[in-house]
Amino acid sequence: MEQAKQAAEFEKDFDVLPENWDAAKLYQAVKTQWRISGMEGIRTGLDYAGVDVVIKRLGLDDSVFEQLQVMENTALEYWAETHQT
């Protein structure tokens, strides 16, 4: 029941094109899978082994992984530009 509540909140907070919904849902579901490096806690990318588990658990098609990588790279570029971790 908690997952349904979280999904409903996620849906009302973001406008997502229908063809990108699975990728957005996946990105939200793997938010705890960032690899962290160094004392500063710099994010270096997602842990793909963990991502793969989530893809399977959510019953998503493997093709959504490429969309996730676009989102991952965009996030990493943003954090690098803004010096955020």
Side-chain angles (χ1 to χ4, degrees):
M1 192 63 162
E2 183 63 29
Q3 282 183 331
K5 181 180 174 185
Q6 288 176 346
E9 289 177 18
F10 183 68
E11 284 184 39
K12 76 177 181 185
D13 290 340
F14 298 93
D15 290 326
V16 179
L17 295 172
E19 61 268 22
N20 296 327
W21 180 243
D22 283 345
K25 185 168 60 170
L26 177 59
Y27 188 82
Q28 180 67 15
V30 299
K31 65 185 175 188
T32 61
Q33 297 302 312
W34 287 99
R35 289 181 179 240
I36 308 296
S37 177
M39 295 293 287
E40 293 90 21
I42 296 170
R43 293 178 187 124
T44 60
L46 289 166
D47 178 352
Y48 289 163
V51 169
D52 192 50
V53 169
V54 174
I55 288 172
K56 287 178 175 40
R57 296 276 177 155
L58 292 177
L60 298 174
D61 189 274
D62 286 340
S63 65
V64 75
F65 181 73
E66 289 179 18
Q67 291 175 297
L68 177 68
Q69 284 185 304
V70 170
M71 297 170 78
E72 172 192 27
N73 288 329
T74 301
L76 290 171
E77 288 172 8
Y78 172 79
W79 290 323
E81 290 171 4
T82 60
H83 306 291
Q84 294 183 18
T85 56

